[in-house]
């Protein structure tokens, strides 16, 4: 920026901030250049001062520093000092309310920064952050394999409820069969035995259903032979578990029909195929429940192995971090905000009681309002620039992304991205200290 419309002899109130003046023309001329940036960092609200206002883009900051800051500070500092020089007696001095409010804000921000540094230097927090970082990398890798989509697996509760409903059906059917086939077993033992059958069937359905869903991912050409072997073992275990679940069911049914089967074998029963259909029906219903469990497992899981597990781990870690933040940062921040608000209220009360009726104070307030009127023009110019910048970014077809400091984030990377709409809603202000 090369324009220099303000000579040393001019004061802040005499700056030409008209829409067609050299200063505003110079500022707006930077829009197209800055709109080419893929990412636009904004000045931090937590380091805002009279020389560095918050939420300015690099070009806005450059313009403010080059053409506004020195004139504004030269006008503000002596005026602020004249407020401070008002003698209120009993060792009390006057003050510029807006300057003291800015100081209270800065003090609050410094305290919040200190809270953040202390929190994120805690070894427990560092450990959680490290685990989140590792899980994030795994998550992004799995997400890429899933076509850029999240795992979207069923919640564990819904999945367990679905399997439990199938298990209840299996329990009531097999309980009566085992009770009739093995009447010598006590009811409690039969119930425990039947629950074990339900569990074995559910685990088998889960293992085999997931394996079928993820077949190409676990047995594909790029999968190492060792991993393939592990998955084959899991699949075999799934079938073995189902066999173990079916054995007592068939045995109980056989015990119930044992005499009829022996007579049929000797040719004396005359029952024929109908006898064996009873056993086949029992087995068939259990197989049907087992297959239904595999269908549930198919719909409940993601085709990418371990993706859902990593997604749930990341959610748990983030919840854990958030819980730490609530107890380690939020409470402290709330205290600092309350202290700032209390100080602001006390300052406003002092103005009403101690200063408002003083002629000198009112004279200085009139001078300050003239300075603040110029501040309004500066802010209006910055807002116009921001609006035109956002319009230019939208015209280019890209999504505008702005980077702001967030004191809830780790010290190593305390920035987050906001969109144009969020930035546009943010107030632009000029501090007075």
């Amino acid at each position: 920026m090369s324009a220099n419309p303000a000579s040393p002899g001019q004061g802040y109130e005499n700056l030409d901030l008209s829409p067609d003046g050299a200063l505003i023309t110079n500022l707006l001329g930077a829009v197209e250049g800055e709109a080419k940036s893929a990412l636009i960092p904004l000045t931090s609200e937590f380091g805002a001062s009279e020389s560095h206002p918050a939420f300015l883009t690099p070009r806005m900051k450059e313009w403010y520093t080059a053409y506004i800051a020195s004139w504004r500070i030269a006008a503000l500092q002596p005026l602020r000092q004249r407020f401070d020089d008002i003698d209120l007696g009993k060792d009390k001095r006057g003050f510029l309310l807006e300057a003291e409010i800015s100081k209270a804000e800065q003090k609050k921000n410094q305290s919040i920064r200190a809270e953040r540094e202390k929190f994120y230097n805690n070894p427990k927090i560092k450990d959680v952050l490290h685990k989140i970082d590792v899980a994030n990398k795994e998550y992004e890798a799995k997400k890429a394999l899933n076509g850029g989509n999240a795992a979207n697996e069923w919640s564990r509760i819904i999945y367990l409820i679905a399997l439990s409903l199938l298990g209840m059906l299996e329990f009531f059917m097999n309980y009566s069969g085992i009770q009739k086939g093995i009447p010598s077993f006590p009811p409690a033992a039969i119930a425990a035995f039947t629950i074990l059958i339900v569990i074995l069937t559910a685990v088998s359905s889960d293992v085999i259903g997931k394996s079928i869903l993820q077949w190409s991912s676990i047995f594909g050409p790029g999968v190492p032979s060792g991993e393939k072997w592990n998955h084959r073992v899991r699949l075999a275990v799934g079938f073995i578990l189902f066999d173990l679940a079916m054995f007592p069911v068939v045995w109980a049914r056989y015990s119930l029909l044992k005499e009829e089967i022996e007579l049929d074998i000797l040719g004396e029963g005359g029952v024929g195929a109908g006898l064996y259909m009873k056993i086949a029906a029992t087995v068939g219903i259990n197989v049907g429940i087992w297959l239904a469990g595999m269908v549930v497992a198919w719909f409940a899981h993601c085709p990418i192995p371990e993706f859902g597990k990593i997604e749930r781990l990341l959610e748990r870690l983030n919840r854990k971090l958030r819980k730490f933040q609530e107890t380690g940062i939020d409470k402290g921040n709330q205290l600092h905000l309350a202290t700032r608000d209390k100080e602001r209220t006390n300052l406003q009360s002092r103005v009403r009681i101690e200063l408002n009726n003083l002629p000198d104070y009112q004279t200085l307030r009139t001078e300050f309002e003239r300075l603040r009127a110029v501040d309004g023009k500066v802010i209006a110019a910055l807002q116009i620039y921001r609006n035109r910048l956002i319009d230019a970014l939208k015209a280019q077809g890209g999504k505008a992304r702005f980077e702001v400091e967030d004191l809830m984030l780790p010290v190593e990377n305390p920035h987050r991205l906001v969109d144009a709409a969020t930035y546009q809603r943010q107030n632009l202000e000029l501090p007075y200290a």
Side-chain angles (χ1 to χ4, degrees):
M1 298 182 180
S2 57
N4 187 21
S7 66
Q10 289 179 297
Y12 184 53
E13 295 178 24
N14 295 324
L15 290 178
D16 182 7
L17 293 168
S18 59
D20 56 351
L23 276 175
I24 306 302
T25 301
N26 183 281
L27 172 63
L28 299 181
V31 168
E32 294 302 323
E34 190 157 48
K36 296 176 182 178
S37 303
L39 180 64
I40 301 175
L42 303 177
T43 53
S44 174
E45 65 175 309
F46 301 103
S49 67
E50 59 191 359
S51 56
H52 295 92
F55 303 114
L56 302 186
T57 70
R59 294 298 176 88
M60 291 162 72
K61 178 185 175 183
E62 182 182 345
W63 177 81
Y64 179 84
T65 301
Y67 303 116
I68 303 298
S70 60
W71 296 105
R72 182 171 183 269
I73 292 171
L76 178 60
Q77 285 185 346
L79 180 59
R80 197 167 56 211
Q81 184 59 52
R82 289 166 64 193
F83 274 94
D84 293 344
D85 288 342
I86 297 176
D87 187 358
L88 300 176
K90 297 182 180 180
D91 296 327
K92 289 185 178 181
R93 313 297 298 181
F95 56 88
L96 174 59
L97 175 63
E98 288 75 6
E100 296 305 312
I101 288 176
S102 291
K103 290 177 184 178
E105 187 71 21
Q106 291 164 0
K107 183 179 178 181
K108 179 263 295 181
N109 291 336
Q110 290 170 359
S111 298
I112 290 177
R113 278 184 183 275
E115 290 278 356
R116 179 184 67 175
E117 291 178 7
K118 179 182 177 181
F119 176 80
Y120 284 108
N121 282 325
N122 186 316
K124 287 184 179 179
I125 306 304
K126 287 185 175 182
D127 181 60
V128 173
L129 289 172
H130 173 71
K131 290 177 179 177
I132 289 176
D133 184 56
V134 172
N136 256 323
K137 291 175 181 176
E138 291 186 55
Y139 176 83
E140 291 301 326
K142 297 288 185 182
K143 186 177 179 180
L145 293 174
N146 201 36
N149 300 313
N152 291 325
E153 290 193 342
W154 292 7
S155 74
R156 307 308 288 173
I157 294 176
I158 293 176
Y159 182 47
L160 289 173
I161 289 174
L163 290 181
S164 297
L165 291 174
L166 293 172
M168 288 173 63
L169 175 63
E170 186 179 24
F171 175 86
F172 289 116
M173 185 192 70
N174 289 327
Y175 181 86
S176 61
I178 294 174
Q179 190 178 40
K180 293 175 182 177
I182 317 174
S184 59
F185 270 32
I190 294 174
F193 210 54
T194 309
I195 290 173
L196 179 61
I197 292 170
V198 170
I199 293 173
L200 292 174
T201 304
V203 174
S204 175
S205 295
D206 177 73
V207 171
I208 297 174
K210 280 197 298 185
S211 296
I212 294 172
L213 172 66
Q214 299 170 352
W215 195 271
S216 61
S217 297
I218 61 179
F219 294 117
V223 180
S225 58
E227 289 187 23
K228 287 183 179 179
W229 172 253
N230 290 337
H231 288 300
R232 289 191 188 100
V233 170
R234 286 185 61 201
L235 201 56
V237 169
F239 282 107
I240 291 171
L241 291 176
F242 179 67
D243 292 340
L244 291 173
M246 290 305 300
F247 176 76
V249 173
V250 175
W251 177 45
R253 180 59 65 174
Y254 171 78
S255 298
L256 178 63
L257 304 172
K258 182 177 180 181
E259 291 184 6
E260 295 180 51
I261 293 172
E262 289 175 350
L263 289 174
D264 189 67
I265 292 173
L266 296 172
E268 300 176 3
V271 180
L275 174 65
Y276 298 98
M277 287 299 294
K278 294 180 181 179
I279 298 177
T282 301
V283 174
I285 293 173
N286 278 275
V287 170
I289 293 172
W290 176 59
L291 293 174
M294 281 194 277
V295 172
V296 170
W298 173 286
F299 284 106
H301 292 92
C302 175
I304 306 302
E306 301 298 313
F307 190 13
K309 181 179 178 181
I310 292 170
E311 190 173 66
R312 290 189 295 273
L313 171 63
L314 194 55
E315 289 172 355
R316 286 197 303 272
L317 288 171
N318 281 318
R319 284 197 299 269
K320 186 176 183 179
L321 177 62
R322 184 66 198 124
K323 190 172 182 180
F324 279 137
Q325 288 174 334
E326 288 173 356
T327 56
I329 288 185
D330 288 0
K331 287 185 177 180
N333 288 352
Q334 290 168 6
L335 177 62
H336 300 315
L337 287 168
T339 301
R340 186 273 317 269
D341 292 342
K342 182 178 180 180
E343 189 169 351
R344 180 185 294 174
T345 301
N346 290 338
L347 289 167
Q348 292 168 339
S349 177
R350 285 190 60 196
V351 168
R352 288 194 304 271
I353 297 171
E354 300 175 5
L355 294 170
N356 267 345
N357 296 325
L358 298 178
D360 290 349
Y361 177 77
Q362 293 301 332
T363 299
L364 292 176
R365 285 301 303 184
T366 300
E367 291 186 38
F368 175 72
E369 291 303 328
R370 290 201 300 268
L371 181 146
R372 191 149 68 171
V374 182
D375 285 349
K377 294 179 182 180
V378 172
I379 292 172
L382 293 170
Q383 288 174 333
I384 292 170
Y385 178 89
R386 176 173 66 179
N387 293 339
R388 293 197 182 181
L389 173 64
I390 290 173
D391 289 341
L393 288 165
K394 291 179 179 177
Q396 293 176 2
K399 288 186 177 180
R401 296 193 304 164
F402 300 89
E403 189 178 64
V404 298
E405 184 178 15
D406 186 342
L407 291 189
M408 291 300 291
L409 297 177
V411 180
E412 295 78 8
N413 185 22
H415 298 97
R416 61 182 172 87
L417 300 180
V418 298
D419 58 20
T422 302
Y423 177 39
Q424 211 159 18
R425 290 193 298 268
Q426 183 62 55
N427 290 333
L428 298 180
E429 299 177 350
L430 303 182
Y432 292 95

